[in-house]
Amino acid sequence: MADPKKLFIKTYGCQMNVYDSERMAEALGASGYVTTERVEDADMILLNTCHIREKAAEKVYSELGRFKPLKTANPDLKIGVAGCVAQAEGEEIMRRQPLVDLVVGPQTYHRLPAMEAAVRAGARAVDTDFPEEDKFEHLPKAPRAKRAPAAFLTVQEGCDKFCAFCVVPYTRGAEVSRPVERVLREARDLVERGVREITLLGQNVNAYHGEGAGGTWGLARLIRELAKIEGLARIRFTTSHPNDMEDDLIAAHGDEPKLMPYLHLPVQSGSDRILKAMARKHTAEQYLRLIDRLRAARPDLLLSGDFIVGFPGETDQDFEDTLALVREVGYGQAYSFKYSARPGTPAAEKTPVPDDVASDRLHRLQALLSDQQRAAQEAMVGREVSVLFEKPGRMAGQMVGKSDYLHAVHVTDPCAQTGQIARVRITRSGPNSLAGELV
């Protein structure tokens, strides 16, 4: 029996890309591939790319250039580019980097086995369509291997918001929601394979509107149905838009015990003038009142957010408005970035804020957010939290997992086991994690 072919996947960007990489590995697994952590051993290299960050395409080309010695040493090595840079660049990738054998967009990776067969036969393959068929239903069935205790599950893709800075509507397409029964089927399969926590994914996940029994279901109804699955202990969702946080979803944070008390709700800026220029279609005050309603439903809710500084036209006062909003909300964690123009987006045509000014603002914002994150973690010391242990830690006898608030927690105790959900008393707060002991 021939040795299996080896697949190396490098994943950039968001959780949805992590999910997509898992499904791509499963799809190619049906063609005889097993994954490897060593790029030197690979028969196929696949870069699953993200187009959000600055100079995303250039970083991909730079990475591809590093594979030239591997291709020289092994002419049978196949190299592919997937994801959002693949969608945006298409055949240009092959023109600029001839060692690439296939380019596949995020909506067509279910066709990977056929593309792999074509490149093995000597062809070069590009597929960046937006097909009508449900890619998830057309993925080949791979062996049902045991899974880690926590898993992602994509329920919605694309975005119709067209924020002025964002390339997602152009690379992922319009908002599409998976049918309810298909989501439930995949969730049940994950639980049967050892998963205890599922994070529902979407570019705009709280805009979910999947077809189910009796008509169209929103995200709250889907969550309540998922909560009925025996063995599924925890549910999360990300990423949300403030304009789609409906009443029943707010209520679910208070009355559905399996929905964890953590919410990532990006706002991007605290300035109404900049929010309007970003085409966010909400004000800072509307965002703040939404936070009030969420905390009324779940007082211990830990909030996370996204912020962009240096957006074209941002003044010192606009930035101070952002700092004021951050102080009022109090984030448990957050992500902040300097604005970088994405080709083809409306904001890319505008004059950027000078880089030194944007850098200074980012430094000040991150200092404030770091103080808030540190305070949120230190407030956990002495408390008992629920922790799902996901894997062994670096030290002997240590287990690492996530609290219900998504804090990384490590415990040194021989009784702690992977997949276990246990009560843990937090004893110490570190820079990026908490230490605890089993109760």
Side-chain angles (χ1 to χ4, degrees):
M1 183 175 176
D3 291 336
K5 294 173 286 186
K6 293 181 179 178
L7 171 68
F8 175 86
I9 300 183
K10 182 168 182 177
T11 306
Y12 301 77
C14 66
Q15 296 100 325
M16 191 173 287
N17 269 13
V18 174
Y19 173 87
D20 286 348
S21 289
E22 291 173 352
R23 303 306 299 271
M24 284 187 251
E26 290 178 352
L28 289 168
S31 298
Y33 281 87
V34 297
T35 56
T36 177
E37 300 296 319
R38 284 174 44 86
V39 68
E40 298 85 1
D41 296 339
D43 297 289
M44 173 176 280
I45 297 171
L46 201 56
L47 300 183
N48 190 13
T49 61
C50 174
H51 206 276
I52 296 297
R53 303 290 171 250
E54 186 177 9
K55 298 179 181 176
E58 294 308 315
K59 291 176 182 176
V60 170
Y61 288 120
S62 176
E63 183 80 6
L64 289 169
R66 297 191 185 101
F67 298 148
K68 189 172 182 179
L70 296 177
K71 189 88 166 181
T72 301
N74 177 15
D76 291 333
L77 171 65
K78 303 304 177 187
I79 298 175
V81 180
C84 291
V85 171
Q87 186 69 42
E89 297 281 301
E91 293 186 0
E92 176 69 6
I93 293 174
M94 287 186 168
R95 189 190 67 79
R96 286 188 57 178
Q97 188 49 271
L99 57 77
V100 173
D101 299 285
L102 68 88
V103 176
V104 60
Q107 303 306 329
T108 50
Y109 63 72
H110 58 295
R111 299 173 181 169
L112 263 174
M115 296 176 72
E116 187 272 346
V119 300
R120 286 285 164 202
R124 302 178 81 199
V126 178
D127 193 338
T128 54
D129 289 345
F130 286 99
E132 291 186 9
E133 73 262 21
D134 182 346
K135 69 183 177 190
F136 303 105
E137 287 298 291
H138 286 78
L139 285 166
K141 302 302 179 186
R144 298 176 73 252
K146 187 170 178 60
R147 294 292 303 264
F152 297 124
L153 198 172
T154 293
V155 301
Q156 181 271 342
E157 287 192 275
C159 186
D160 295 343
K161 296 295 186 284
F162 288 92
C163 297
F165 54 82
C166 186
V167 75
V168 165
Y170 311 101
T171 58
R172 287 277 182 171
E175 288 178 3
V176 177
S177 297
R178 296 179 66 189
V180 170
E181 189 49 47
R182 293 177 186 175
V183 173
L184 295 175
R185 187 198 317 154
E186 186 171 343
R188 293 187 195 105
D189 176 72
L190 289 169
V191 172
E192 288 173 5
R193 293 159 66 188
V195 170
R196 307 214 55 199
E197 173 182 301
I198 288 176
T199 299
L200 307 177
L201 298 181
Q203 267 83 32
N204 191 21
V205 70
N206 58 336
Y208 177 82
H209 51 277
E211 291 304 310
T216 302
W217 291 32
L219 185 64
R221 187 175 178 186
L222 177 66
I223 287 170
R224 295 181 195 279
E225 193 67 23
L226 286 164
K228 297 176 184 177
I229 298 175
E230 187 176 353
L232 178 60
R234 293 173 154 196
I235 301 170
R236 306 182 190 274
F237 62 90
T238 194
T239 291
S240 300
H241 193 288
N243 291 357
D244 292 308
M245 192 62 66
E246 296 179 350
D247 293 348
D248 59 347
L249 188 54
I250 294 172
H253 283 84
D255 58 32
E256 178 44 67
K258 290 187 178 182
L259 183 58
M260 293 294 96
Y262 172 94
L263 177 64
H264 184 66
L265 190 63
V267 62
Q268 308 299 355
S269 174
S271 161
D272 286 348
R273 198 178 69 83
I274 295 301
L275 288 170
K276 184 176 181 180
M278 288 178 166
R280 290 289 291 174
K281 300 181 178 66
H282 64 79
T283 66
E285 181 66 18
Q286 287 169 335
Y287 179 85
L288 291 169
R289 299 296 72 81
L290 175 58
I291 299 301
D292 289 343
R293 295 181 61 205
L294 285 159
R295 283 180 166 155
R298 185 70 193 251
D300 64 335
L301 188 68
L302 186 143
L303 283 159
S304 170
D306 286 348
F307 294 89
I308 295 172
V309 300
F311 188 80
E314 183 187 64
T315 65
D316 288 343
Q317 184 58 54
D318 294 324
F319 176 66
E320 291 298 329
D321 290 345
T322 296
L323 295 180
L325 181 142
V326 170
R327 293 188 186 102
E328 183 165 347
V329 171
Y331 289 91
Q333 62 174 255
Y335 306 91
S336 52
F337 312 94
K338 267 193 312 186
Y339 169 76
S340 62
R342 300 269 68 83
T345 59
E349 306 300 319
K350 299 180 180 179
T351 303
V353 169
D355 187 67
D356 59 337
V357 174
S359 295
D360 178 68
R361 289 175 184 170
L362 181 62
H363 177 76
R364 291 173 57 196
L365 174 60
Q366 289 182 337
L368 174 59
L369 291 169
S370 295
D371 286 345
Q372 291 190 347
Q373 178 176 336
R374 185 163 50 250
Q377 289 190 188
E378 290 173 352
M380 303 303 295
V381 176
R383 288 183 58 181
E384 289 185 12
V385 296
S386 172
V387 175
L388 170 60
F389 293 117
E390 298 181 21
K391 60 183 179 181
R394 295 178 180 176
M395 298 171 57
Q398 188 182 72
M399 290 296 298
V400 178
K402 292 289 196 309
S403 77
D404 24 15
Y405 303 98
L406 207 63
H407 286 129
V409 179
H410 56 88
V411 168
T412 302
D413 192 307
C415 294
Q417 301 294 320
T418 300
Q420 174 189 9
I421 297 178
R423 296 297 295 175
V424 172
R425 182 180 296 109
I426 302 302
T427 58
R428 180 170 51 84
S429 173
N432 296 299
S433 65
L434 302 171
E437 57 188 18
L438 292 182
V439 175

